[in-house]
């Protein structure tokens, strides 16, 4: 039977509802963040060229913005530069030209640990938990820069993900894939970031757990945290985000609201069909 899961929407986003259907999940379009464009952006990426090997660029003039409280998705074919763009924001890849700003301050070239201290959370696609540590110990690692805040932040994370409270003494390696993803996101939230970078959070999960993962991402966003998410599951991504960017060959191919990109004939013809095949049609 269908299960309708209402999710609280803050003042920064339009009211929404997530309906989870047995065998299929429909996540109603997220609309737009009503506060977008009225205050300074959390993230600004301007004409960024970047790559891993000297003389070879993966990004060729990317532009991107994330407003406070906004949920932004990045989709595109394999090799388009999606994860590289996240890493460029986080200072994990060499930026040859262009600029990245965090809350209107230039952070181009800053190291990842400096950005974490300044309010950027990051959840990598793989190896994102310490399997030999318990859930609580993983969360403690996320609060290592500000251990005095651990109790308050633990309460916040467990409120978002009640399952973690039930598994608090379990080793992370013994958890399901969906539970490990909760631990990874929870740890990244322990320092109260202003923006959370997610690199393919649904990768490797079953279709049912993928749907659960996107619901969790929405809950995090609706708690007030801006999210920039790279995702191969293009349709689901565009259903939950406020805005999306389609990358191709390291450049912006299309930009618009999640709703708009889902309905765009060019995006459907050139990307959504191809991406659906590459992700098994989910």
């Amino acid at each position: 039977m269908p299960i309708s899961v209402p999710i609280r929407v803050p003042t920064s986003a339009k009211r929404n509802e997530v309906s989870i259907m047995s065998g299929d999940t429909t996540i109603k379009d997220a609309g737009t963040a009503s506060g977008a464009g009225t205050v300074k952006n959390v993230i600004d990426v301007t004409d960024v060229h970047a790559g891993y090997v000297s003389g070879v660029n993966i990004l060729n003039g990317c532009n991107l913005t994330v407003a406070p409280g906004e949920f932004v998705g990045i989709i595109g074919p394999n090799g388009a530069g999606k994860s590289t763009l996240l890493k460029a924001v986080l200072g994990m890849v060499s930026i040859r030209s262009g600029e990245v700003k965090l809350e209107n301050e230039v952070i181009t070239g800053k190291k990842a640990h400096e950005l974490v201290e300044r309010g950027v959370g990051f959840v990598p696609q793989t190896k994102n938990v310490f399997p030999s540590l318990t859930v609580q110990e993983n969360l403690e690692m996320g609060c290592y820069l500000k251990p005095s805040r651990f109790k308050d932040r633990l309460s916040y994370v467990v409120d978002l993900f009640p399952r973690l409270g039930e598994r608090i003494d379990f080793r992370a390696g013994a958890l399901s894939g969906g539970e490990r993803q909760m631990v990874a996101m929870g740890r990244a939230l322990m320092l109260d970031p202003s923006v959370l970078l997610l690199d393919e959070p649904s990768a490797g999960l079953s279709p049912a757990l993928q749907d659960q993962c996107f619901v969790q991402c929405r809950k995090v966003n609706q708690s007030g945290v801006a999210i920039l998410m790279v995702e191969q599951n293009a349709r689901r991504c565009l259903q939950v985000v406020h805005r999306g960017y389609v990358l191709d060959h390291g450049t912006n191919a299309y930009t618009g609201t999640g709703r708009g990109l889902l309905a765009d004939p060019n995006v459907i013809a050139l990307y959504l069909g191809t991406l659906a095949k590459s992700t098994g049609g989910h």
Side-chain angles (χ1 to χ4, degrees), residues 28-190:
K28 294 183 181 180
D29 189 285
T32 59
S34 60
T38 60
V39 294
K40 64 184 179 183
N41 292 323
V42 181
I43 296 290
D44 282 290
V45 175
T46 305
D47 196 27
V48 163
H49 295 71
Y52 303 95
V53 179
S54 178
V56 180
N57 285 339
I58 305 298
L59 302 180
N60 298 288
C62 281
N63 297 280
L64 175 146
T65 62
V66 181
E70 195 176 26
F71 192 170
V72 175
I74 304 171
I75 65 171
N78 290 333
K82 303 183 298 295
S83 294
T84 302
L85 180 51
L86 274 194
K87 292 174 182 177
V89 171
L90 198 62
M92 298 174 67
V93 62
S94 176
I95 295 178
R96 277 122 196 197
S97 64
E99 187 176 72
V100 180
K101 290 183 178 180
L102 175 66
E103 297 179 336
N104 215 32
E105 185 175 343
V106 176
I107 59 169
T108 311
K110 296 286 186 183
K111 300 299 183 183
H113 70 273
E114 296 178 83
L115 299 181
V116 169
E117 290 184 66
R118 294 169 69 169
V120 180
F122 176 54
V123 180
Q125 179 182 345
T126 59
K127 297 181 180 178
N128 53 20
V129 300
F130 298 98
S132 63
L133 301 183
T134 67
V135 169
Q136 178 166 321
E137 289 167 341
N138 269 272
L139 297 178
E140 287 174 351
M141 291 295 290
C143 212
Y144 74 99
L145 289 174
K146 299 177 181 177
S148 63
R149 299 199 61 189
F150 175 73
K151 186 176 180 180
D152 288 341
R153 296 307 296 169
L154 176 64
S155 177
Y156 165 81
V157 168
V158 171
D159 184 55
L160 272 178
F161 306 123
R163 187 67 169 170
L164 295 187
E166 299 170 8
R167 293 285 192 265
I168 199 71
D169 293 321
F170 282 57
R171 294 192 184 279
L175 302 179
S176 69
E179 290 169 339
R180 287 196 298 272
Q181 194 63 30
M182 290 184 214
V183 174
M185 283 196 282
R187 191 179 70 243
L189 291 168
M190 290 299 287

